Amino acid sequence: QVQLVESGGGLVQPGGSLRLSCAASGTIFRINVMGWYRQAPGKQRELVARISSGGGTNYADSVKGRFTISRDNAKNTMYLQMNSLKPEDTAVYYCNTNLQVYGRSSSADYWGQGTQVVVSS
């Protein structure tokens, strides 16, 4: 019914940049907040950044000033521009969104399958 597809992960050297994308598709009526989470090996999943339907954003302290989250509501797509990447940014990055589908009166959370980001020389 709803599918979130992430792309843009890969291997990058420290100091480099990557841009992640998350496209939502399906019988979507309204998308509320969208966010990026990450999970490094042996660690819990953590919030990286999120953006409201109105464009308000918040970031984890560890990525402030380096990462920028944005969204294109017309395309149901969210982005994460990651600059000045560090080895500690290595993780699987997951897209999360709270949205409402047609025919339902309430919204629900959906997750993408994850995209691997490796920062290494």
Side-chain angles (χ1 to χ4, degrees):
Q1 201 171 21
V2 173
Q3 189 175 20
L4 300 181
V5 177
E6 298 124 331
S7 61
L11 172 65
V12 64
Q13 291 186 341
S17 297
L18 283 175
R19 189 191 193 210
L20 305 183
S21 299
C22 171
S25 61
T27 55
I28 299 170
F29 172 64
R30 178 178 56 229
I31 298 179
N32 300 314
V33 64
M34 303 183 80
W36 290 98
Y37 290 74
R38 67 185 181 187
Q39 187 166 19
K43 294 188 177 182
Q44 289 190 330
R45 190 174 297 189
E46 63 176 1
L47 174 68
V48 176
R50 57 188 171 197
I51 183 167
S52 69
S53 57
T57 60
N58 64 291
Y59 296 89
D61 287 343
S62 59
V63 306
K64 282 181 181 177
R66 300 188 298 122
F67 291 10
T68 302
I69 190 171
S70 60
R71 62 191 282 176
D72 184 335
N73 292 329
K75 296 181 179 179
N76 289 342
T77 300
M78 171 179 64
Y79 306 96
L80 185 68
Q81 178 66 42
M82 305 186 294
N83 298 329
S84 302
L85 282 160
K86 304 175 181 180
E88 50 263 44
D89 294 317
T90 295
V92 177
Y93 284 70
Y94 296 92
C95 168
N96 169 267
T97 182
N98 181 273
L99 61 83
Q100 184 178 354
V101 299
Y102 283 100
R104 296 200 174 176
S105 59
S106 61
S107 60
D109 282 347
Y110 295 84
W111 290 89
Q113 80 287 355
T115 185
Q116 178 74 55
V117 171
V118 177
V119 184
S120 175
S121 55

